Amino acid sequence: MRGKLRVFLGAAPGVGKTYAMLVEGRRQRADGLDVVVGFAETYGRRGTEEQLGDLPVVPRRVVRYRGIELSEMDVDALLARRPALALVDELAHTNVPGSRNAKRWQDVGELLAAGIDVATTLNIQHLESLNDVVEQITGIVQRERIPDEVVRAADRIELVDLSPEALRTRMARGEIYALDKIDVALDNYFRAGNLGALRELALLWLADRVEEELADYRARHGIRAPWETKERIVVALNGAPQGENLVRRGARTATRVHGDLIGVHVRPDDGTLQSEPPGLEAQRRLLRELHGGYVEISGNDVARALVDFARTESATQILLGPTSRSRLRELVTGSVINRVIRIAGPIDVRVLPPPDSQSLAVPPGPRRRRPAPVSARRQWAAWLLGPAGAVALAAVLSPLRGSLGLSGALLCLLLAVAGVARLGGLLPAAGTTAAAALAADFFFTTPVHSLVVDRAADVAPLLVFLAVAGIISHLIDGLARRSQQAARAKAEAQVLARLAGETVESGARALPELLAELREVFALDSAGVLVRSGEEWQPVAASGEPLPQRPEDAAFAADLGQGAVLVLAGPALSQEDARLLGPFVTQLRLARERERLAAAASTAEALAHTDRLHITLLEAVEHDLRTPLAAIATAAARLDAIDEDTGPREIRRLGAGIGTESARMLHLVANLLDLSRLQVGAVPVTPCPTELAAVVDAALASLPEEERTVGVRIDLPDDLPKVEADPGLLERALANVVANARTWSPPGAEVKIDAGAVAGRIDVRVIDRGPGIAATDPESLFQPFRRTERHPDGTAGGVGLGLAVARGFVEAMDGELTVETTPGGGATFVFGLRAAPPTAHS
């Protein structure tokens, strides 16, 4: 009987996989199970070593390779020992050449084949399918890889999870790596972004594994009903024009519920070779862009094939578009939509309405003293059916002449006239009335089959018929007119209500949205807003094309104020349209006013910020100039009181103090000037490939003499690539940060400068051992003129001019300057700079 494999999966080293494996081993051993440790790597971590404790450990096998003795797991000893459970760390490990197997997962395979259960550990970056993604995220190539199917075949996989912040805290405390490796690890592999991405990869990979197990379970137990463990939306595609709208709707739904989107096309399974629908390729392409899947299936019964596929995929929703079949075809062959709804069972079925480009359009209103407008199609149908139908009806009724009489026939023909008036309007009804009167004369008056009327008694019914038919046609036309007026009034009310409601809810809307709705409501070719620029008109917003280039070229133009004009192109607007256009013009004016107010508010905010800057600048100058000026004044006063005996030595000491304070003043003035240049965006930047070592030397040389080398240790790799930066700006930024670090470091403590290359960028770190930073607000260090609480002697710190200027310079070079806590105490300032592209001769 084959053993069972249990994998403890982690997103990164240090999350606690080995610890969790050993805890499980101790629990199983406490339950009386024979548990041994085949291989465990504690890396000197105290908690892991404590869990290893008194667990029995199989001695490792020593392998000599190139004169070096290396230890590996002793598979033969484990097979001979035959424990119930073997704990084997690092499943993706590559064995020393000459070992029993090349990979440790192959060793584990032998243990499983021998009936031994195995618990093991693995990091997500070692999976073969994720190797390229991990390399892209971390910039590190993983040499040790394991096929996914080996891990997927495990009987149980447990994710040992730890948040990126908690993992970085463990790293900073020295609980994972040695202290000399912590800084490099935190700034490289263990960056917060890297850890977050690796954690998401692990969760997604494990979610796929859970889906596979769930599918196997449902298959074993014959469960066909979908379980809504995860939303899956199946979109039925047939290449129809509305298919893209269907895909977009499904993608929005899948995004909201964090589900999967699958597009399905059902091919007829009738043995005939049929060409692909013309719109299907575009729909497939759109599915790929929206991260959805695409599947083609075949079947004679489209509805059955679609529902069976949805059940196989455990879909929770099926999205169908509007049918393109005629009503006659649906009566003959049935409706696919209705059949899907009947057989879908617990699967939700959503049928989207057809996209109607004129859904917002306001119907045209009837004009006075004219017949109610009727579509040309209905008018043609009424003209073709009306007169001919009246004659045919009279001919059919002619055999009943004796019993029906002229009056009865005229009543039947009057019904036909009313139907034609309802179908095609007043003019076809008038033509039908004339044809019906002639047909009645021809078939029902004597002499029969002639248009001559011999009896005066027959004239009166014919005249009454003409009058009644005319009145009925006019009344029906009036009702149609009222109906059209009511429909237009309803549409106008809906448009006005929508405009008012959206304005109350979200304020004045943006110009492009209003113009797009305006064009749809009035069925226009284009709508836009023009603003005069000198002698020309420039469009500031538009919808549709072609857009009139001048107000004179537009079918309609309206002044929006402040030099802006609304222009419309398309059919001429009626008086009713002009009345409805008024609210749109008002909304457009509000939108223009809102844009103007937003611009004014932005300008006012900038002015207010400038005023605040001026005030804080004055406070900073008063604060920072007072100390060196007081020192200079004190030194000058002491010069006057020097006696003859101690004169030369005291003069030198006071002169040095005056020089130091003067240098502080010059440095402060330079920072003030630099800050003002940053605030107005007047910092010239000339990026070029720059040697970092030369910039560091220049930055230290610019510091006061006593701070140039004392207490500063430089540790830059010899093979460090060049950075893409402005040498002058980078030198000033480094000098400010190093000066800050020297100020806050306690006596005797050194400031360290190191660097490393990480995924196309260079991280330069300035590390001090001062009192550290406030965890609640580290960014306050970079805010100019803000007082801090990071002074070594416990007094209030100075203003943050130097750090604010340094960050401004770094950001001007498209870099970033951040601060974090130094492991063991202190602050680490990290310069994130772009690596210079390699040159042909480098």
Side-chain angles (χ1 to χ4, degrees):
M1 181 177 177
R2 185 176 177 83
K4 296 182 179 180
L5 177 62
R6 183 173 183 177
V7 178
F8 292 88
L9 182 67
V15 296
K17 303 178 301 299
T18 304
Y19 184 93
M21 179 186 71
L22 294 174
V23 168
E24 177 62 19
R26 296 179 70 85
R27 186 187 68 81
Q28 299 261 21
R29 188 163 182 261
D31 291 342
L33 204 67
D34 183 15
V35 179
V36 300
V37 177
F39 189 93
E41 191 65 72
T42 64
Y43 294 103
R45 298 168 189 168
R46 185 175 59 184
T48 307
E49 291 177 346
E50 289 176 356
Q51 288 302 319
L52 183 60
D54 58 350
L55 285 173
V57 179
V58 174
R60 302 183 184 182
R61 184 171 61 90
V62 177
V63 181
R64 292 189 61 84
Y65 178 68
R66 295 182 178 179
I68 303 176
E69 291 187 351
L70 302 172
S71 60
E72 291 289 356
M73 182 176 68
D74 195 338
V75 181
D76 292 330
L78 280 170
L79 292 174
R81 173 76 165 71
R82 294 189 64 84
L85 175 64
L87 307 181
V88 180
D89 207 1
E90 298 182 355
L91 183 62
H93 172 74
T94 300
N95 293 329
V96 177
S99 300
R100 181 188 186 98
N101 296 299
K103 297 286 187 177
R104 183 163 292 164
W105 60 266
Q106 295 172 329
D107 295 339
V108 169
E110 290 194 27
L111 298 178
L112 295 173
I116 301 173
D117 293 345
V118 177
T120 185
T121 64
L122 180 71
N123 283 329
I124 195 70
Q125 65 263 28
H126 296 300
L127 289 170
E128 183 70 47
S129 64
L130 301 178
N131 185 256
D132 55 340
V133 181
V134 173
E135 180 181 353
Q136 183 180 4
I137 294 171
T138 64
I140 299 175
V141 179
Q142 297 293 333
R143 304 296 181 187
E144 295 181 332
R145 301 193 290 269
I146 182 172
D148 286 46
E149 55 268 20
V150 175
V151 186
R152 289 190 182 277
D155 299 274
R156 186 171 178 180
I157 301 177
E158 295 184 17
L159 180 65
V160 182
D161 191 26
L162 197 64
S163 68
E165 294 77 12
L167 184 56
R168 284 174 59 85
T169 300
R170 288 193 63 196
M171 176 67 73
R173 291 174 180 170
E175 298 178 6
I176 300 177
Y177 290 164
L179 291 178
D180 58 341
K181 298 180 180 179
I182 293 177
D183 291 336
V184 176
L186 287 174
D187 289 323
N188 289 270
Y189 194 91
F190 284 82
R191 293 167 62 189
N194 290 357
L195 296 177
L198 291 174
R199 186 188 189 197
E200 184 174 359
L201 277 179
L203 291 171
L204 290 174
W205 190 91
L206 194 61
D208 290 340
R209 157 75 184 199
V210 172
E211 288 294 331
E212 293 175 2
E213 292 181 349
L214 183 61
D216 292 342
Y217 176 86
R218 294 175 67 242
R220 289 196 305 269
H221 292 78
I223 301 173
R224 294 180 55 82
W227 286 357
E228 297 187 14
T229 56
K230 185 177 183 180
E231 291 285 343
R232 285 185 180 83
I233 295 127
V234 171
V235 179
L237 302 175
N238 59 2
Q242 61 269 21
E244 294 188 10
N245 179 51
L246 201 65
V247 171
R248 291 189 180 93
R249 181 70 67 88
R252 289 196 296 269
T253 304
T255 301
R256 284 195 296 267
V257 300
H258 303 286
D260 296 333
L261 175 66
I262 308 173
V264 180
H265 173 63
V266 181
R267 295 190 310 269
D269 190 15
D270 52 7
T272 61
L273 183 61
Q274 298 185 2
S275 60
E276 182 179 277
L280 198 58
E281 174 58 32
Q283 294 166 13
R284 279 199 299 264
R285 187 166 55 250
L286 181 60
L287 267 171
R288 289 194 296 268
E289 294 174 358
L290 297 176
H291 307 291
Y294 176 79
V295 177
E296 284 193 5
I297 58 179
S298 59
N300 290 326
D301 188 342
V302 175
R304 173 61 65 182
L306 185 62
V307 173
D308 287 345
F309 173 82
R311 286 174 176 162
T312 302
E313 293 294 324
S314 297
T316 56
Q317 295 184 36
I318 298 177
L319 260 63
L320 302 174
T323 181
S324 58
R325 297 183 175 186
S326 64
R327 293 187 179 181
L328 178 61
R329 185 180 177 189
E330 284 192 351
L331 290 174
V332 175
T333 63
S335 170
V336 174
I337 294 176
N338 292 338
R339 181 162 169 74
V340 169
I341 293 174
R342 283 197 304 270
I343 66 177
I347 304 176
D348 295 339
V349 180
R350 298 171 57 196
V351 182
L352 302 187
D356 185 4
S357 60
Q358 301 298 324
S359 58
L360 296 177
V362 175
R367 299 186 180 182
R368 293 183 178 181
R369 301 186 183 87
R370 292 190 181 182
V374 180
S375 67
R377 182 179 178 182
R378 290 176 58 182
Q379 287 190 22
W380 278 108
W383 278 112
L384 291 174
L385 297 177
V391 174
L393 179 59
V396 170
L397 295 175
S398 60
L400 303 176
R401 185 183 307 109
S403 59
L404 192 62
L406 177 61
S407 299
L410 289 176
L411 285 175
C412 294
L413 293 173
L414 187 63
L415 181 62
V417 172
V420 171
R422 182 67 183 89
L423 174 64
L426 189 59
L427 295 179
T432 303
T433 300
L438 293 175
D441 181 18
F442 186 82
F443 288 106
F444 290 94
T445 63
T446 56
V448 181
H449 300 155
S450 73
L451 298 179
V452 178
V453 180
D454 287 344
R455 295 188 305 173
D458 292 337
V459 175
L462 290 174
L463 293 177
V464 171
F465 169 77
L466 290 173
V468 173
I471 293 172
I472 290 177
S473 299
H474 181 72
L475 290 175
I476 291 176
D477 181 74
L479 291 175
R481 180 187 296 273
R482 299 294 184 273
S483 176
Q484 291 169 358
Q485 289 174 342
R488 179 179 176 85
K490 180 180 179 181
E492 289 181 359
Q494 289 176 345
V495 170
L496 293 175
R498 185 168 57 252
L499 284 176
E502 291 172 347
T503 301
V504 171
E505 181 180 354
S506 58
R509 299 164 63 197
L511 282 177
E513 296 178 7
L514 282 169
L515 291 172
E517 184 168 349
L518 175 64
R519 186 171 64 89
E520 291 184 6
V521 166
F522 295 102
L524 300 170
D525 297 333
S526 64
V529 176
L530 302 180
V531 175
R532 181 181 288 279
S533 176
E535 297 298 327
E536 301 292 332
W537 290 90
Q538 299 294 333
V540 296
S543 176
E545 56 183 19
L547 184 69
Q549 299 301 311
R550 299 181 303 170
E552 295 80 6
D553 302 334
F556 179 89
D559 182 26
L560 298 180
Q562 300 177 355
V565 178
L566 169 66
V567 293
L568 306 178
L573 299 180
S574 63
Q575 291 183 354
E576 291 82 359
D577 293 336
R579 184 181 67 248
L580 182 58
L581 188 61
F584 276 99
V585 173
T586 301
Q587 288 293 318
L588 289 168
R589 287 173 180 163
L590 288 175
R592 287 279 300 166
E593 182 66 15
R594 186 181 185 182
E595 290 182 352
R596 186 188 67 79
L597 292 176
S602 178
T603 303
E605 184 179 356
L607 292 175
H609 177 71
T610 303
D611 291 340
R612 290 193 302 270
L613 178 62
H614 289 164
I615 295 172
T616 52
L617 181 61
L618 292 176
E619 293 177 352
V621 170
E622 178 187 7
H623 179 274
D624 275 17
L625 287 182
R626 182 178 297 168
T627 301
L629 286 176
I632 292 173
T634 302
R638 289 182 178 178
L639 284 175
D640 293 337
I642 292 177
D643 58 27
E644 296 180 356
D645 296 333
T646 61
R649 185 178 59 186
E650 187 69 16
I651 289 174
R652 287 195 299 270
R653 188 180 67 81
L654 293 176
I658 292 174
T660 299
E661 299 302 330
S662 300
R664 286 181 60 189
M665 289 185 61
L666 291 174
H667 185 69
L668 173 62
V669 171
N671 276 339
L672 288 172
L673 291 175
D674 290 336
L675 186 62
S676 63
R677 290 160 59 203
L678 284 170
Q679 295 290 343
V680 299
V683 178
V685 181
T686 309
C688 63
T690 303
E691 287 283 356
L692 190 58
V695 174
V696 172
D697 293 340
L700 294 179
S702 67
L703 295 175
E705 184 174 356
E706 67 274 10
E707 295 184 3
R708 291 180 184 175
T709 56
V710 176
V712 178
R713 179 162 63 94
I714 304 174
D715 187 10
L716 301 180
D718 296 334
D719 58 348
L720 187 68
K722 294 182 179 180
V723 297
E724 188 75 14
D726 185 309
L729 296 184
L730 183 56
E731 175 191 328
R732 290 295 309 279
L734 276 170
N736 281 357
V737 173
V738 171
N740 174 82
R742 291 289 301 121
T743 300
W744 296 104
S745 295
E750 65 178 7
V751 174
K752 179 182 177 183
I753 302 176
D754 65 15
V758 182
R761 53 175 270 167
I762 306 296
D763 281 353
V764 183
R765 292 171 292 276
V766 179
I767 306 166
D768 68 47
R769 294 293 177 180
I773 60 176
T776 56
D777 192 15
E779 289 297 304
S780 63
L781 295 176
F782 298 104
Q783 297 180 13
F785 320 126
R786 178 163 177 176
R787 301 174 189 275
T788 65
E789 298 179 356
R790 194 175 163 257
H791 205 282
D793 59 7
T795 60
V799 296
L801 276 178
L803 294 181
V805 171
R807 170 172 276 190
F809 283 167
V810 173
E811 291 178 348
M813 296 182 290
D814 197 21
E816 61 177 355
L817 176 59
T818 57
V819 62
E820 56 189 37
T821 300
T822 303
T828 299
F829 292 87
V830 183
F831 293 74
L833 304 170
R834 290 181 293 116
T839 57
H841 59 277
S842 62

